[in-house]
Amino acid sequence: MIGLVFNNSSPLYLNACEQFKKWDEFFTFDENVISPMLSHCDCFVLVGNDIQGRPVKEYVYKSGKPFFVITGNYFNIKDEGYVRVLVNGYLNNFGQVPQVADHNRWNELRQHYKLRDSFKRKEGSRIVLALNSKHSPSLFKASIEEWVVKAVSEIRVSTDKPIVIRHHRKQKVPYSSLIKRAYDYQNVSSEMDYNDSKTSLDDTDVSVTFNSTYSVLSLQSGVINIATHPGSPVYNIVKNDFSKESLNYYPDEETLRNYFATVSNCHWKVNEIAGNKFRDLYEPLIEENKRENFHWVGE
């Protein structure tokens, strides 16, 4: 039996969850209401990767049973196109993705989202620190304020390019003595994120991220990314420090094409989820029930 855990998300994500009714016998749950039926389910489908404070999701996460997570696409573009589906995912980046490169599917995604057809570095004049909302780093026992100061101070050793602290659109980091230390460095300013994330990449030479999916869009847009936490979805293909070499490192085209051809396999239209291709790719991940990096959040 498969357990479907619904919440008040948009119809796109709820409809995606509905598709799993075609997989097996099912039972539906509200994410806030614990039920004895939870113990009868072999795996689960969670809508949204916000698990803490939602009793049913917390139960699933701690149960050891495999689960799907349905959430927004890696390109941070809000539309009714594709959802992202991970296995045993949590906070966007923990989940398993089918490790099969599908270049045709990547081309479909690229055309749908009107993404540039190039993996060439696009030079800019500024370095953007793309902040998460405070919720995500705090789960890793990390202070976003300390992260900002460390990043700015180490970048300034290597370059005097303008640095922009880009606050997350949902939550501006409060002004504090730590943040003041970051602004005290030469040529450091701030801005808020926009609803269209592509806009905030204008004139960006390097984006610096903690564990944000913004890193994926940065690389696709030709912007160098430095990922400073292994929770980042691009951590293994980019640099993770602020040396001069890192600030000038953009992965080669073959690496990026293969990466995006693989990432494409976790982006699905709602009406594809019940199909054979989806099941062929995802059922082995469910059976394997591989659970990595849960120690990052104290497990």
Side-chain angles (χ1 to χ4, degrees):
M1 180 180 289
I2 190 167
L4 311 181
V5 184
F6 289 89
N7 60 13
N8 61 351
S9 293
S10 74
L12 176 67
Y13 304 118
L14 300 180
N15 289 341
C17 187
E18 290 276 354
Q19 301 308 304
F20 287 89
K21 291 181 177 180
K22 302 170 186 175
W23 277 51
D24 196 357
E25 294 183 10
F26 64 88
F27 193 88
T28 62
F29 301 91
D30 181 295
E31 66 180 7
N32 296 307
V33 182
I34 293 289
S35 163
M37 287 299 297
L38 285 164
S39 63
H40 295 284
C41 295
D42 303 303
C43 68
F44 298 87
V45 181
L46 312 183
V47 178
N49 54 37
D50 47 348
I51 290 180
Q52 286 198 340
R54 282 126 176 114
V56 175
K57 288 182 176 179
E58 289 185 349
Y59 172 93
V60 172
Y61 175 66
K62 295 174 181 177
S63 71
K65 295 180 181 180
F67 58 93
F68 298 90
V69 173
I70 298 171
T71 186
N73 65 72
Y74 263 136
F75 306 105
N76 207 16
I77 299 171
K78 309 301 182 185
D79 74 350
E80 294 298 305
Y82 296 79
V83 297
R84 177 166 33 123
V85 184
L86 305 176
V87 172
N88 294 345
Y90 181 48
L91 286 176
N92 294 317
N93 310 314
F94 285 23
Q96 304 299 315
V97 176
Q99 293 299 305
V100 178
D102 188 337
H103 293 272
N104 290 331
R105 189 166 189 85
W106 162 240
N107 285 331
E108 292 173 10
L109 280 170
R110 182 186 56 75
Q111 291 171 20
H112 173 82
Y113 288 119
K114 297 180 173 58
L115 302 170
R116 67 200 290 265
D117 185 21
S118 172
F119 286 110
K120 305 293 185 185
R121 178 182 171 184
K122 178 180 69 66
E123 295 188 14
S125 67
R126 63 183 192 158
I127 297 170
V128 174
L129 272 63
L131 274 57
N132 303 71
S133 67
K134 293 189 73 175
H135 172 68
S136 177
S138 68
L139 289 172
F140 305 121
K141 309 296 188 295
S143 162
I144 198 69
E145 291 92 341
E146 291 177 1
W147 179 79
V148 168
V149 174
K150 182 177 187 296
V152 170
S153 61
E154 293 187 11
I155 289 169
R156 271 291 166 262
V157 173
S158 302
T159 179
D160 59 0
K161 283 186 177 180
I163 298 174
V164 178
I165 300 171
R166 185 183 63 81
H167 292 272
H168 193 280
R169 70 182 69 112
K170 292 181 180 178
Q171 190 172 37
K172 184 172 182 177
V173 175
Y175 194 82
S176 66
S177 58
L178 273 174
I179 290 293
K180 181 180 183 300
R181 281 176 55 192
Y183 288 128
D184 284 344
Y185 281 85
Q186 182 185 11
N187 209 0
V188 176
S189 60
S190 68
E191 67 182 22
M192 291 298 296
D193 188 17
Y194 306 102
N195 286 331
D196 179 357
S197 291
K198 290 184 290 185
T199 305
S200 57
L201 284 164
D202 286 353
D203 198 30
T204 301
D205 192 56
V206 180
S207 71
V208 180
T209 56
F210 184 71
N211 70 313
S212 176
T213 54
Y214 182 79
S215 54
V216 177
L217 184 61
S218 297
L219 288 179
Q220 198 286 318
S221 301
V223 173
I224 292 170
N225 179 251
I226 294 176
T228 63
H229 187 276
S232 168
V234 304
Y235 187 82
N236 293 326
I237 64 170
V238 301
K239 299 294 186 180
N240 317 119
D241 60 60
F242 302 109
S243 65
K244 287 185 178 180
E245 177 189 8
S246 298
L247 290 165
N248 288 280
Y249 177 79
Y250 187 69
D252 64 83
E253 184 168 354
E254 182 179 1
T255 295
L256 288 171
R257 287 200 178 278
N258 285 330
Y259 173 80
F260 280 93
T262 301
V263 163
S264 298
N265 280 324
C266 65
H267 291 78
W268 297 86
K269 294 179 180 177
V270 167
N271 61 7
E272 295 179 313
I273 290 174
N276 289 334
K277 183 176 181 180
F278 181 93
R279 295 191 68 154
D280 287 346
L281 287 171
Y282 275 82
E283 281 187 320
L285 299 181
I286 287 293
E287 292 169 2
E288 185 181 23
N289 193 19
K290 190 174 182 180
R291 300 163 70 87
E292 290 186 333
N293 302 317
F294 278 30
H295 62 281
W296 291 343
V297 284
E299 292 298 313

